[in-house]
Amino acid sequence: MKKRTIALVAILAMLAFIVTGCGGSGGGDQEKPAAEKKFFNIATGGTAGVYYPLGGAIAEILNKNVEGANAKVQSTGASVANVNMLAKGEVQIAFIQNDIAYYAANGTEMFKDNKVENMRAVATIYPEIVQLVTLEKSGIKSVADLKGKRVAVGAAGSSVTANAQHVLEAAGLSFEDIDEQYLSFAEAANGLKDGNIDAAFVTAGVPTAAIQDIIAQHKVVVIPVTSEMADKMIEKYPFYTKVVIPADAYKQAQDVETVGVKAMLVVTDQMDEQTAYEITKAIFDNVEDLKTAHAVGQYISKESAKDGLSIPLHPGAEKFFNE
């Protein structure tokens, strides 16, 4: 009986030693629990476009500055495809033009009968500029002069077509007043060079390669969207902003007034406020990294991040901008 008691005491002592050893010397020495992983798939565009390199830079920023972030980019068909992927929960962050976001949120244009109401903006980032170009020999000097002319209005179903309609509307015209041609940027450039069209709408960053290609052979004129026209457009379509194309971009005599839409970063209302706040803060605290990633990074700033918003701002992003 005595031997059993001694053995039991020894076992209990050993167990106490093991428990004490596992517990460490004190609460201050315990390892901090790992942060919960936050996975962010970022929908961008084609690998040769602007969205993809910017998306890569943003993924790197989030991975470095948001605790637990695991962000990666995904090449996609750009804005329209990104709306659908975001709505289905296939991605958590998406690059979307603000006019496309507006159409989706309101169930118009290419989203007729397919309304998407759960999108929330993180910020607008840089302008995609509406450019109306012609050759000097055409004699076209204003939007009103397009009446009866052959005009490229973007590829069928593209956002450029809607941009063209809105510009014409501001000048009191419609597609019924022109001979509209549904052409891609490259096709429009060739059409102008060959004399098959008289003018072309192009919505893209400045300078645009397709327009530069024309300049190599012809004197190009960029037709202004006047401030008065821009005001009409903005009143009816709030996603537009006033933009100036520098004279040296296309060898013009002076700067040219026009309008632009904006590329946006978009999430959904399923993202919690704190996460959206951390994402927004990380991006705008590291804007220099975006400038390094692509030339359009020069346009990205906290001061302009709410210009041209076409859908509601996420509460988390709003918290950051109100600080």
Side-chain angles (χ1 to χ4, degrees):
M1 187 69 178
K2 188 176 179 180
K3 289 181 179 179
R4 288 180 182 176
T5 302
I6 293 171
L8 181 59
V9 171
I11 291 169
L12 291 172
M14 186 177 294
L15 286 172
F17 175 77
I18 292 171
V19 170
T20 303
C22 290
S25 59
D29 295 330
Q30 292 181 19
E31 291 186 8
K32 184 179 179 181
E36 182 182 348
K37 282 290 183 184
K38 298 178 181 178
F39 294 93
F40 303 116
N41 287 324
I42 305 173
T44 57
T47 55
V50 177
Y51 288 176
Y52 191 79
L54 273 187
I58 288 173
E60 192 171 339
I61 287 171
L62 298 185
N63 288 334
K64 288 180 179 177
N65 297 279
V66 175
E67 191 172 11
N70 185 343
K72 60 182 180 180
V73 294
Q74 191 167 333
S75 177
T76 71
S79 293
V80 174
N82 293 354
V83 169
N84 294 324
M85 294 175 74
L86 198 64
K88 293 175 183 176
E90 296 173 354
V91 297
Q92 290 70 49
I93 304 172
F95 284 76
I96 300 172
Q97 264 185 210
N98 65 344
D99 53 344
I100 299 297
Y102 179 89
Y103 303 145
N106 290 278
T108 59
E109 301 293 342
M110 66 285 291
F111 288 95
K112 190 175 182 180
D113 302 322
N114 188 26
K115 199 172 186 180
V116 181
E117 299 182 281
N118 68 336
M119 295 184 299
R120 298 293 181 267
V122 170
T124 57
I125 45 179
Y126 71 91
E128 302 269 17
I129 299 173
V130 179
Q131 303 162 69
L132 174 56
V133 296
T134 187
L135 302 187
E136 186 178 48
K137 62 185 180 182
S138 74
I140 297 171
K141 297 180 180 179
S142 70
V143 177
D145 292 338
L146 293 179
K147 190 168 184 176
K149 304 296 185 181
R150 300 161 299 173
V151 184
V153 295
S158 73
S159 60
V160 181
T161 300
N163 298 149
Q165 290 173 323
H166 300 159
V167 170
L168 290 170
E169 182 183 26
L173 302 176
S174 71
F175 276 11
E176 292 182 0
D177 297 302
I178 65 169
D179 178 7
E180 74 271 21
Q181 304 288 314
Y182 295 94
L183 304 173
S184 69
F185 295 166
E187 291 168 339
N190 288 332
L192 280 169
K193 288 188 291 185
D194 298 340
N196 294 325
I197 60 172
D198 302 302
F201 282 93
V202 173
T203 302
V206 170
T208 300
I211 299 174
Q212 289 179 307
D213 182 49
I214 305 169
I215 291 174
Q217 299 178 31
H218 301 276
K219 174 65 176 175
V220 165
V221 174
V222 183
I223 305 300
V225 176
T226 66
S227 181
E228 182 182 358
M229 291 171 63
D231 287 338
K232 291 180 182 177
M233 293 173 67
I234 293 167
E235 182 178 359
K236 188 169 183 179
Y237 308 105
F239 46 78
Y240 285 111
T241 58
K242 292 183 178 180
V243 181
V244 172
I245 301 174
D248 59 3
Y250 299 121
K251 300 179 181 179
Q252 302 296 290
Q254 59 189 18
D255 293 347
V256 181
E257 292 180 316
T258 187
V259 292
V261 292
K262 282 215 170 185
M264 302 174 67
L265 287 175
V266 182
V267 296
T268 73
D269 57 8
Q270 295 301 301
M271 181 174 285
D272 66 89
E273 182 176 327
Q274 183 60 26
T275 299
Y277 169 81
E278 291 174 2
I279 288 172
T280 311
K281 179 174 173 57
I283 291 169
F284 286 95
D285 282 355
N286 294 276
V287 169
E288 291 301 317
D289 293 352
L290 302 181
K291 293 179 181 178
T292 302
H294 196 281
V296 299
Q298 66 183 301
Y299 298 108
I300 303 174
S301 70
K302 184 176 180 180
E303 290 70 31
S304 64
K306 293 194 287 185
D307 294 347
L309 284 174
S310 58
I311 57 175
L313 194 63
H314 193 288
E318 190 166 10
K319 177 182 175 182
F320 171 75
F321 292 124
N322 287 339
E323 286 184 338

